Structures are given as structure tokens and as C-alpha cells.
Amino acid sequence: MNLTRNWFRTLRSRTLAFFALAAAICFTAVACSGGAESQATGGVKPELVADYIHTALASDRTAYTKHVVNRAKKLEGKPKADGVLAIEATEGWESSDGIPLPAQMFRLGSEIASEADTAFTYNLISTWYINDAQGPKNDFEKKAIQEVEKTGEPFKEFQEVGGKKYFSALYPDKAVAEACITCHNTHPVHKERYPDKVFKMDDVMGGIMINIPLEGA
């Protein structure tokens, strides 16, 4: 459990530092460009900021999945032949001597990011969600997830929420490791809600939503 606590302390420190930097970049993008929708050469476009943030988020999650979860000796109670770490990757990690599943680790980072003093947010959404908090919440997210699941390409648009303008981008969240599809395909909630949906490697399982507040827009 000490190892798990150390991971969370590191995750919290890195996440807060990263999003403090992201908030500064977002402000600079708007301030330098003279407006969120300006294409002035001196500013950083919000599209590019979103791409940078997504690259960091996706890289960390993939690294955790491939180099931690995939090396665990058990995955949701089942032995893994290639496991070398004497731990279990499990949804019930908080009540056992285990580690979070990739989607849970991603959500933990998102919750830590929400502690920062910024309107910037990110989260996972999917048509085939298991956690109710990860279903599409508004018309924009419903449109975005349909496009991403159909095309496999990012969907980006400006939107207004609560009188505030945002640049929002949804990136495809693909199955990058066996743990991704095993956990979903065998999960009792998934089997009950989506009995005909069986994920395969590289399938689009949902999307990573990034919302960048456009200060001064």
C-alpha cells in the first residue's frame, strides 16, 4: 500500500503543477491572440493547446496501462501469465491491496485537476459507459462522441456553458492494451447494459474531453 500512496502523492503533485501551467498557457493563448477565435500569428491557438494537453494525458495513461497494470499478477481476480508485480489491478482497489484500473487512475487525475483554481476541466465520456458520471452530459458531448466513435478522429468546437465560452475538444480513447478490453467486456454492468458490444484492440471505446476556458472572450 505504501507504493500505491506514493503513486498518488506523485500524481497529485504532477497534476496540479501541469494544470497550473496549462491555465497559464490558456491565458497566454487568449491574451496574445486578442481573442479566442483570432488567428493572429503571435498567439497560441486553443486547438494547439488542447492537442498539447491531450498528448500529455494520453501518454501518462498509456504508460500506466502498459507498464504498471499490464505487469500486475492479477487483473480483477484472474491471474496474468505475464504478470511480475505482486499486486492486483482491480475496480475495488480502495478496499484491497491493489491498484486502480486505467480509467480510475485517469478519473483520479481529473478530480485532482478540479482542485486547481481554474475553469479548465477534462474527463472521459463514452456511449458504453460503466460509471454514470462518464456518460455524455449535454448536446455538445452527445454530438462529439457520435462523431468520434464514427470517424476515429478528434472533434473540436467552441461552445458556451453558463455564459462562459470554451474551446472543447474530444479525442478518441482507444483500447491500447488487453487490460482495457478485458475489464470492460467482462464487467457485469457492461454485460447487462451492452450485451452485444464486445471491444477489440484498437477499438474506439469513448473519448477524452478537454474544456479550455477562454478568458476575455
Side-chain angles (χ1 to χ4, degrees), residues 9 17 26 28 45 70 78 117 130 132 167 170 199-200:
R9 280 196 292 268
C26 292
T28 302
K45 296 179 182 179
N70 276 5
K78 297 180 180 179
D117 186 20
I130 293 175
D132 290 342
F167 178 79
L170 184 68
F199 289 113
K200 304 182 297 296

Side-chain angles (χ1 to χ4, degrees), residues 183-198:
C183 290
H184 275 264
N185 289 342
T186 62
H187 196 287
V189 174
H190 180 92
K191 292 169 71 174
E192 179 182 351
R193 290 179 178 176
Y194 324 108
D196 297 327
K197 184 61 180 179
V198 179

Side-chain angles (χ1 to χ4, degrees), residues 12-47:
R12 179 177 295 274
S13 298
R14 288 185 59 190
T15 302
L16 290 176
F18 174 71
F19 289 110
L21 176 61
I25 292 174
C26 292
F27 177 79
T28 302
V30 175
C32 291
S33 63
E37 299 176 50
S38 170
Q39 301 301 315
T41 57
V44 182
K45 296 179 182 179
E47 295 95 329

Side-chain angles (χ1 to χ4, degrees), residues 15 18-24 26 46 49-50 52-54 57 109-110 112-123 164 166-167 169 208-215:
T15 302
F18 174 71
F19 289 110
L21 176 61
C26 292
V49 177
Y52 289 158
I53 293 171
H54 170 255
L57 294 175
S110 173
I112 293 170
S114 69
E115 299 172 10
D117 186 20
T118 172
F120 170 84
T121 61
Y122 74 91
N123 60 289
K164 295 183 178 180
Y166 292 83
F167 178 79
I208 298 174
M209 174 64 74
I210 295 173
N211 297 302
I212 299 175
L214 302 175
E215 297 181 26

Side-chain angles (χ1 to χ4, degrees), residues 28-172:
T28 302
V30 175
C32 291
S33 63
E37 299 176 50
S38 170
Q39 301 301 315
T41 57
V44 182
K45 296 179 182 179
E47 295 95 329
L48 190 57
V49 177
D51 287 345
Y52 289 158
I53 293 171
H54 170 255
T55 297
L57 294 175
S59 297
D60 277 355
R61 186 181 182 206
T62 299
Y64 176 74
T65 303
K66 289 185 174 181
H67 304 302
V68 179
V69 172
N70 276 5
R71 289 167 60 83
K73 285 193 173 182
K74 287 186 178 181
L75 176 61
E76 291 290 27
K78 297 180 180 179
K80 292 175 78 279
D82 56 349
V84 296
L85 302 177
I87 51 175
E88 177 184 5
T90 174
E91 185 177 21
W93 65 273
E94 290 182 284
S95 57
S96 66
D97 192 14
I99 58 173
L101 298 172
Q104 292 175 307
M105 179 61 84
F106 192 93
R107 190 174 71 248
L108 288 167
S110 173
E111 291 170 355
I112 293 170
S114 69
E115 299 172 10
D117 186 20
T118 172
F120 170 84
T121 61
Y122 74 91
N123 60 289
L124 293 172
I125 65 171
S126 175
T127 298
W128 308 284
Y129 59 89
I130 293 175
N131 185 323
D132 290 342
Q134 294 175 342
K137 301 174 185 62
N138 54 40
D139 290 341
F140 175 86
E141 291 191 354
K142 291 175 183 177
K143 177 183 177 181
I145 194 63
Q146 288 175 359
E147 288 297 317
V148 167
E149 289 170 354
K150 180 173 67 176
T151 67
E153 299 296 328
F155 180 87
K156 304 174 182 179
E157 275 190 4
F158 293 92
Q159 67 166 325
E160 186 170 322
V161 180
K164 295 183 178 180
K165 290 184 179 180
Y166 292 83
F167 178 79
S168 298
L170 184 68
Y171 297 83

